[in-house]
Amino acid sequence: MRRSWLFFLLTALLLPMAWAQSTRPVPYPVFYTPPFEQAMANGTRTADGQPGPAYWTNTATYAIDVALSPATKQLQASVVITYTNNSPDALGEVAIHLRQNLHREGVVRNRPQQLTGGVKLGRVRYNDAPLLEIPTLRGSAVGYVVDGTLMRVKLPNAIPSGGTATFAIDYSFEVPEAGAPRMGQDGEVFYLGYWYPQMAVYDDVDGWVADPYMGNGEFYMGYADYDVRITVPEGWLVGATGTLQNPADVLTEQTQQRLAKAAQSRAITTVVGENDRQAGASTLDTPTNTVTWHYTAQNVRDFAFGTSDQYIWDATHATVNAEDGQKTVMLHSFYRPGTPAWERSAEYGQFSIEFMSEKFFPYPYPHMTSVEGIIGGGMEFPMITLIGGTRTPQSLFGVTFHEIAHMWFPMVVGQNEKRFTWMDEGLTSFNTSEASAAFWQADAWNPGRQSYYFIAGTGDEVESMRHGDRYPVGTPARGIASYNKPAVALHALRGLFGDEKFYAAYAEYARRWAYKHPQPFDLFNTFEDVLGQDLDWFWTSLFYETWTLDHAIQDVEISSEGVEVVIADNGLTPMPAFVRITYADGTTDEGVVPVQAWLDGQRTARLRFDAGTVTRVELDPNLYLPDINRANNMWAR
């Protein structure tokens, strides 16, 4: 049961007294923040995890013309943003992200960056009237202030509830070198992410959510439609968010025919081979020596593109079962010749799309594209991912699946990854482990391969419910709190309830919050609603704290009347204790100490089994629970 913030304050005052009287501390309840409580009162959120009847999101359309000069590394563009205010509030100020200002001198960063000067703004207009830069938003002046990676705008007239407004911005910047987080160029490959002015999210809980981009923490984005024209030199292939609207104006007949073949065959088709990488073979040869790729995308939260004249282009397709029948999803893979394992990239994408579509809901987009280069890991964008590094087949599969799984979380289920990184990375890490086990037919959940156990109980761990920019630098704390520990927690939850119930709750969360902006409370409440249990003890212990679980077999008492197993709870995280005993004839029996025993303050519990010659007693034999000391989980005669 969820509690109010006031209840939490009272609990915090009373807990020391309760702990002093108890043999075991017990978890405090999960508490709502005041803004979330207000959203519930306003009818946009509910206590059972569903969006309320008054739920809304603001939306936008982006019309962008962009020209990229690889020779000078310059990007020049203009964007017209049409913003629709679906909120009940009149908006007299707005916030717009200028994330390339991460590379401007003097901007606050939490990881080193190349300095390129950041975004150079040209003409800025609001509803066709000029907007000027002003020194401060205080007072009566109308205009905009650039504050690090944010543009804050005071409007001459507010955008009314239900109204629309347009912002037109001309801008340019130098594309930073490889090593920039999540985008950049190495002279051969250019990948453009976070490259255009983007409206910050105005949501029903917090209003404007315009946290600065500092390098580490990732993103929270609204849904929008995009119409983008990308001009690059002829011979340069482009992969991008959205659907290519003018293939005949860009691609040769040979390239188009090979793409058509890939749409019909599940085998990998080489669309542009190593010997086709020039104008006249891959793209058209034009009088201007440039081509303009025209893409559109609907109801997506971002737009990115990659381009190179060095790429091989592979393609195939996946098949997913949609409500109106089977649907074909194109898979594209762009990589440089000889890059290890990338000849299987499209195959990995095919598996990823079909696996996630079966687990949750059908992949909603027309294609998924993987682009090689620039970075050490991978980074997700709607319909396209950037993956770098020299990889083995297993490594490339893992990164490919992980980034494609992000198409569900957060691309469709629009969580705030900046403030709650674990909601994207933890869920996706769990999904990746499940898929890796299925693809490679391996045990994905061996505790010896889970990084959580390397840091748990050491004092270096940091809780998962922490802002993405507020983790200690130079330690694995952020990665484990955001990626592996939440995945381990979901694995435990699956063990507590079984695959069918767990995935029913998980998929219901995804369905309820598709194209919306859930908070952790919405996830918690949905699981509790579907599973029918109050799980505050679970969420508090594993997401708000760094408590650990340590169940131990304290004693095994064997007599003619039966076998009694004494289980000790040595940690702070409460969990049911699963016990399996094996008799000499090979038969087994199982029992469970319910979590309520520990929540009642007990430190030991007893389970009785039938009499017989016992050869082995095990705790958590299926390795579901996050027990940090498995050395005391087994007793053998």
Side-chain angles (χ1 to χ4, degrees):
M1 180 186 298
R2 216 53 44 215
R3 306 289 187 177
S4 70
W5 180 258
L6 177 60
F7 180 89
F8 170 73
L9 292 177
L10 294 174
T11 302
L13 294 173
L14 294 175
L15 271 178
M17 183 183 302
W19 286 12
Q21 297 171 353
S22 172
T23 57
R24 186 206 194 283
V26 295
Y28 53 84
V30 174
F31 54 90
Y32 291 136
T33 60
F36 192 87
E37 287 187 317
Q38 186 60 55
M40 292 174 60
N42 293 339
T44 59
R45 310 271 165 159
T46 65
D48 62 4
Q50 300 194 60
Y55 185 82
W56 52 266
T57 58
N58 287 353
T59 57
T61 65
Y62 293 82
I64 310 176
D65 283 287
V66 54
L68 175 68
S69 169
T72 63
K73 304 178 178 55
Q74 293 294 314
L75 179 145
Q76 292 189 330
S78 62
V79 56
V80 176
I81 307 169
T82 304
Y83 185 71
T84 301
N85 178 20
N86 297 312
S87 81
D89 310 316
L91 302 179
E93 295 184 9
V94 303
I96 300 174
H97 292 285
L98 300 176
R99 294 190 176 95
Q100 284 303 308
N101 274 353
L102 181 69
H103 302 279
R104 174 180 287 185
E105 186 175 357
V107 170
V108 176
R109 290 175 282 269
N110 51 24
R111 59 195 289 184
Q113 301 298 333
Q114 178 197 10
L115 299 182
T116 63
V119 179
K120 297 176 177 61
L121 294 175
R123 184 182 62 170
V124 179
R125 298 178 70 83
Y126 170 67
N127 288 343
D128 292 328
L131 272 180
L132 301 178
E133 187 169 8
I134 56 179
T136 179
L137 294 184
R138 296 175 183 173
S140 59
V142 169
Y144 68 88
V145 170
V146 176
D147 180 12
T149 60
L150 289 168
M151 171 191 277
R152 300 185 183 273
V153 186
K154 181 178 286 188
L155 304 176
N157 51 329
I159 309 172
S161 175
T164 62
T166 60
F167 299 85
I169 304 172
D170 297 337
Y171 66 100
S172 64
F173 64 85
E174 178 184 334
V175 182
E177 296 175 359
R182 312 174 180 96
M183 56 85 65
Q185 54 82 21
D186 63 6
E188 292 184 346
V189 171
F190 284 72
Y191 194 93
L192 278 302
Y194 324 113
W195 58 279
Y196 59 95
Q198 185 184 49
M199 300 298 297
V201 174
Y202 187 84
D203 69 23
D204 64 304
V205 176
D206 297 306
W208 286 111
V209 185
D211 298 347
Y213 180 34
M214 299 169 65
N216 275 342
E218 296 189 19
F219 310 106
Y220 185 36
M221 298 172 169
Y223 294 95
D225 295 341
Y226 289 82
D227 189 310
V228 182
R229 287 172 169 80
I230 304 166
T231 300
V232 294
E234 61 184 13
W236 283 67
L237 299 176
V238 172
T241 300
T243 301
L244 181 63
Q245 298 297 308
N246 62 338
D249 297 334
V250 174
L251 302 174
T252 62
E253 187 65 31
Q254 171 182 273
T255 303
Q256 294 181 70
Q257 289 175 356
R258 291 175 179 176
L259 279 173
K261 177 183 175 182
Q264 300 300 319
S265 172
R266 288 182 62 85
I268 296 174
T269 298
T270 299
V271 177
V272 173
E274 186 170 357
N275 296 325
D276 302 323
R277 297 176 298 163
Q278 64 270 334
S282 59
T283 72
L284 296 179
D285 190 351
T286 69
T288 62
N289 298 321
T290 63
V291 289
T292 298
W293 303 61
H294 179 200
Y295 284 91
T296 63
Q298 289 74 46
N299 205 22
V300 295
R301 59 173 240 158
D302 197 10
F303 188 102
F305 69 94
T307 182
S308 178
D309 63 351
Q310 298 299 305
Y311 276 149
I312 290 173
W313 182 358
D314 288 344
T316 184
H317 72 271
T319 303
V320 300
N321 293 316
E323 291 184 0
D324 55 351
Q326 281 197 333
K327 169 184 159 185
T328 295
V329 177
M330 292 299 296
L331 277 302
H332 304 287
S333 180
F334 293 89
Y335 60 96
R336 285 167 285 195
T339 307
W342 271 78
E343 70 279 357
R344 298 189 68 182
S345 169
E347 173 197 351
Y348 297 156
Q350 184 183 62
F351 176 89
S352 303
I353 292 292
E354 293 174 351
F355 183 94
M356 287 294 293
S357 294
E358 182 179 348
K359 288 290 185 185
F360 297 100
F361 50 75
Y363 183 77
Y365 306 131
H367 74 87
M368 182 65 215
T369 297
S370 297
V371 174
E372 171 266 319
I374 305 298
I375 61 176
M379 188 62 206
E380 72 277 6
F381 306 81
M383 302 180 227
I384 187 169
T385 179
L386 174 65
I387 300 174
T390 299
R391 301 189 175 279
T392 64
Q394 289 80 4
S395 171
L396 183 61
F397 172 86
V399 179
T400 299
F401 183 93
H402 184 96
E403 306 311 329
I404 291 177
H406 275 309
M407 299 305 110
W408 282 259
F409 309 96
M411 296 306 159
V412 173
V413 182
Q415 301 154 154
N416 185 345
E417 187 175 4
K418 190 147 184 84
R419 294 189 179 179
F420 309 110
T421 308
W422 68 267
M423 292 187 74
D424 292 344
E425 299 299 355
L427 272 57
T428 301
S429 294
F430 172 84
N431 297 334
T432 302
S433 291
E434 293 288 279
S436 295
F439 188 85
W440 299 106
Q441 298 183 346
D443 177 12
W445 290 105
N446 184 330
R449 293 199 293 269
Q450 304 300 319
S451 59
Y452 164 68
Y453 297 102
F454 304 154
I455 195 173
T458 66
D460 295 327
E461 188 188 352
V462 176
E463 71 279 359
S464 297
M465 285 288 289
R466 178 180 286 221
H467 192 288
D469 283 318
R470 294 174 184 163
Y471 283 94
V473 176
T475 79
R478 176 182 179 272
I480 291 174
S482 301
Y483 289 74
N484 188 245
K485 184 181 180 181
V488 167
L490 289 177
H491 179 61
L493 195 62
R494 187 255 301 271
L496 298 183
F497 290 94
D499 277 12
E500 183 177 352
K501 290 183 177 179
F502 169 80
Y503 270 109
Y506 197 1
E508 178 64 11
Y509 166 70
R511 184 192 66 78
R512 287 179 178 182
W513 290 96
Y515 305 104
K516 300 178 179 68
H517 296 303
Q519 295 212 342
F521 305 126
D522 300 306
L523 185 150
F524 299 158
N525 290 345
T526 295
F527 268 87
E528 292 186 2
D529 180 45
V530 177
L531 296 174
Q533 289 197 27
D534 183 341
L535 295 170
D536 278 17
W537 56 270
F538 185 91
W539 313 124
T540 296
S541 301
L542 293 176
F543 292 89
Y544 287 84
E545 297 290 347
T546 59
W547 298 347
T548 56
L549 172 70
D550 181 13
H551 285 163
I553 299 174
Q554 183 170 294
D555 197 10
V556 178
E557 301 170 2
I558 303 174
S559 70
S560 59
E561 298 180 355
V563 178
E564 196 164 74
V565 180
V566 182
I567 300 98
D569 180 30
N570 297 328
L572 285 178
T573 294
M575 285 282 170
F578 298 102
V579 182
R580 176 187 293 166
I581 70 170
T582 303
Y583 295 97
D585 63 0
T587 61
T588 62
D589 196 4
E590 296 185 349
V592 180
V593 177
V595 71
Q596 193 61 46
W598 318 127
L599 297 180
D600 288 341
Q602 298 180 40
R603 273 300 188 182
T604 61
R606 292 173 176 266
L607 283 179
R608 180 173 288 276
F609 298 89
D610 291 341
T613 302
V614 177
T615 60
R616 183 182 181 92
V617 180
E618 301 169 85
L619 295 180
D620 188 28
N622 295 314
L623 304 180
Y624 279 118
L625 304 184
D627 195 316
I628 67 166
N629 180 18
R630 294 188 178 272
N632 56 21
N633 284 16
M634 196 270 288
W635 175 95
R637 178 176 292 277

